[in-house]
Amino acid sequence: MAALPGGVKNSLALQIEHNRSARGLQGMIFTRDDRAGAGKLSSRLGLVTDAVEAADGFDFYAHLVAHLSKGGRCDYVIADEAQFLAPEQIDQLARVVDDLELDVFAFGITTDFRSKLFPGSQRLVELADRVEVLQVEALCWCGARATHNARTIGGRMVVEGAQVVVGDVNQAADEIGYEVLCRRHHRRRMTAAAARAAALSPDVLPVDAEAARG
């Protein structure tokens, strides 16, 4: 079982599905709380495919056993948004690997907007045979490597609220969105919008009023 966290995980999940299906393999895709809606796996590049919605109480192992028992085929499993899964669902995916001998590719981010581990992500790291960080690095607005996810409302970072709230990166003002930041700017709660506002504020400009008049 491979766990791959990162900001472009959805695109990579779709790429894995394309590569394997092009070779005649048949996989089963699972997702949870995708921005495109229930039963969908989408990327910000505009690609969308059908998936099985793994809601609360969903049993991955039982679902796959039932599918195979009815003569269905499954050569591999893709589980996206794994951070939203319950720890026991991650255990089920591990059992799929061990008992059904299927490859499982699980994609998810590790921490929430408060820099706390998602329970599903923690269990995934504990059980995965291999954990890989995506090579395509997300960048903070300052150009540094982005390592933290920030929840925003109207461009302002918030640190309170439910752990799981579905949003996207390009939201209108006063709507919930998400932005990736480096650790320094996550600690300072400095989003791109906040940085622009600070740069335009005369209160932060390094100007000596007396020198300017002289």
Side-chain angles (χ1 to χ4, degrees):
M1 182 166 63
L4 299 103
V8 293
K9 59 186 179 54
N10 302 60
S11 298
L12 183 55
L14 290 166
Q15 185 64 49
I16 287 178
E17 162 63 14
H18 172 75
N19 290 346
R20 280 160 176 73
S21 61
R23 296 189 181 100
L25 300 176
Q26 294 183 22
M28 189 168 290
I29 303 174
F30 299 94
T31 190
R32 171 75 181 269
D33 294 335
D34 190 275
R35 70 180 69 86
K40 298 292 181 181
L41 171 59
S42 67
S43 78
R44 296 191 180 102
L45 299 178
L47 303 175
V48 182
T49 191
D50 291 330
V52 178
E53 185 74 11
D56 290 337
F58 182 85
D59 190 320
F60 288 91
Y61 183 80
H63 183 88
L64 283 161
V65 167
H67 174 75
L68 295 171
S69 298
K70 294 175 182 177
R73 178 180 171 185
C74 183
D75 300 308
Y76 59 93
V77 171
I78 293 174
D80 194 36
E81 307 295 357
Q83 72 273 11
F84 297 146
L85 300 178
E88 55 267 26
Q89 291 176 311
I90 301 299
D91 289 339
Q92 294 160 11
L93 289 174
R95 189 179 179 191
V96 167
V97 175
D98 296 339
D99 294 358
L100 302 182
E101 299 184 350
L102 297 177
D103 289 331
V104 173
F105 301 91
F107 298 82
I109 59 177
T110 52
T111 58
D112 63 14
F113 69 104
R114 300 164 299 186
S115 298
K116 303 293 184 181
L117 280 171
F118 284 99
S121 299
Q122 178 179 335
R123 190 59 177 153
L124 184 57
V125 171
E126 291 169 348
L127 292 183
D129 299 295
R130 187 175 72 255
V131 177
E132 297 181 7
V133 177
L134 298 185
Q135 296 302 308
V136 179
E137 293 185 348
L139 298 179
C140 177
W141 60 265
C142 69
R145 180 171 177 265
T147 55
H148 290 64
N149 295 287
R151 180 180 295 170
T152 62
I153 298 180
R156 298 289 179 175
M157 180 174 162
V158 295
V159 294
E160 296 181 353
Q163 186 176 51
V164 178
V165 177
V166 178
D168 206 345
V169 290
N170 296 311
Q171 295 286 29
D174 299 328
E175 291 188 6
I176 293 176
Y178 289 90
E179 181 178 346
V180 290
L181 301 172
C182 64
R183 186 182 65 237
R184 179 176 63 175
H185 287 124
H186 189 276
R187 288 178 54 247
R188 296 178 180 177
R189 304 185 189 179
M190 182 69 75
T191 64
R196 285 194 296 269
L200 294 173
S201 172
D203 295 333
V204 300
L205 293 178
V207 176
D208 186 317
E210 292 296 331
R213 283 197 295 267

